[in-house]
Amino acid sequence: MQRAQPPTSTGRAGRRLLLRGAALAAVPYALLPEPRAGAHIPAPDHPTAEWQPANASNFTTARRPVDHRVDLVVVHVTQTGYRSTLSVFRNPRKKVSAHYVVRSSDGHVAQCVRESDIAWHAGDWDHNTRSIGIEHEGWVDRPAYFTDVLYARSAALTAAICARHGIPRDRRHIIGHYEVPGTDHTDPGPHWDWERYLALVEAA
């Protein structure tokens, strides 16, 4: 995970967005209102995902692909547990999010940001605007977390994202976090099996 906020020179609308985020960040997380009973919960973009929304301070509302073309999937590893990752995304002080989180033990998928919105996951604004970020539960130096079911469910998710957005299913368009220019992150790390993953994406 990596912070990636909008650039500061975005004009009046951008300043309003940043001020809104700053105001929310100043509010203790425990004081933020819970969703109203009976409130409409949007269906996730991926049919088998569970909607686990990130805090609105941790992503940028957008109308992709109308205002930004989506042509990349960025693969991440959380460096923490599944529940901890969701908690980070809900914390308005963290300024970080991803569109999806995949659990190691059973491949369960949570969606935290709509695909039409810009998650703050890549550490580079340009890459954030044009990508879908997928976090995978685990640590880069613990390959046991990269289970068969995690690979399979993540590959099915990536294949569906590629189909929805017309993204080619290849290594130029499905990249690791470490491949984002300027990042100091190494995920998904040396134990991530890219050949296997791309074969599963192609077969899904």
Side-chain angles (χ1 to χ4, degrees), residues 31 45 50 70 90 94 96 103 109 111 120 128 153:
L31 298 180
D45 295 305
E50 177 186 12
V70 177
R90 293 187 190 113
K94 295 299 185 179
V96 67
R103 192 161 57 199
V109 176
Q111 182 170 4
W120 298 352
N128 280 343
R153 297 288 175 80

Side-chain angles (χ1 to χ4, degrees), residues 130-173:
R130 55 190 286 223
S131 67
I132 302 293
I134 304 176
E135 287 280 359
H136 298 82
E137 181 186 19
W139 284 259
V140 296
D141 58 349
R142 303 184 196 177
Y145 275 88
F146 303 152
T147 59
D148 292 345
V149 68
L150 177 140
Y151 274 119
R153 297 288 175 80
S154 175
L157 170 61
T158 292
I161 291 168
C162 289
R164 280 192 288 273
H165 297 278
I167 303 172
R169 301 183 189 191
D170 59 38
R171 278 290 281 123
R172 288 185 56 218
H173 298 87

Side-chain angles (χ1 to χ4, degrees), residues 23-189:
L24 278 175
V27 179
Y29 179 55
L31 298 180
L32 292 173
E34 292 292 326
R36 299 189 315 274
H40 173 69
I41 298 174
D45 295 305
H46 190 62
T48 61
E50 177 186 12
W51 181 240
Q52 290 282 351
N55 188 278
S57 294
N58 295 338
F59 64 91
T60 300
T61 302
R63 296 182 305 143
R64 301 191 308 173
V66 174
D67 48 9
H68 298 282
R69 179 184 177 190
V70 177
D71 63 1
L72 291 173
V73 175
V74 181
V75 174
H76 301 264
V77 170
T78 61
Q79 295 297 106
T80 190
Y82 172 82
R83 290 185 180 277
S84 295
T85 301
L86 297 181
S87 294
V88 167
F89 292 171
R90 293 187 190 113
N91 187 333
R93 295 182 294 274
K94 295 299 185 179
K95 307 303 180 191
V96 67
S97 62
H99 294 91
Y100 294 97
V101 184
V102 183
R103 192 161 57 199
S104 172
S105 61
D106 59 1
H108 179 74
V109 176
Q111 182 170 4
C112 304
V113 177
R114 304 290 301 183
E115 291 182 12
S116 59
D117 293 332
I118 301 168
W120 298 352
H121 62 98
D124 174 272
W125 179 243
D126 175 65
H127 281 74
N128 280 343
T129 63
R130 55 190 286 223
S131 67
I132 302 293
I134 304 176
E135 287 280 359
H136 298 82
E137 181 186 19
W139 284 259
V140 296
D141 58 349
R142 303 184 196 177
Y145 275 88
F146 303 152
T147 59
D148 292 345
V149 68
L150 177 140
Y151 274 119
R153 297 288 175 80
S154 175
L157 170 61
T158 292
I161 291 168
C162 289
R164 280 192 288 273
H165 297 278
I167 303 172
R169 301 183 189 191
D170 59 38
R171 278 290 281 123
R172 288 185 56 218
H173 298 87
I174 303 170
I175 67 172
H177 191 180
Y178 73 95
E179 294 173 284
V180 175
T183 188
D184 60 355
H185 285 233
T186 63
D187 57 312

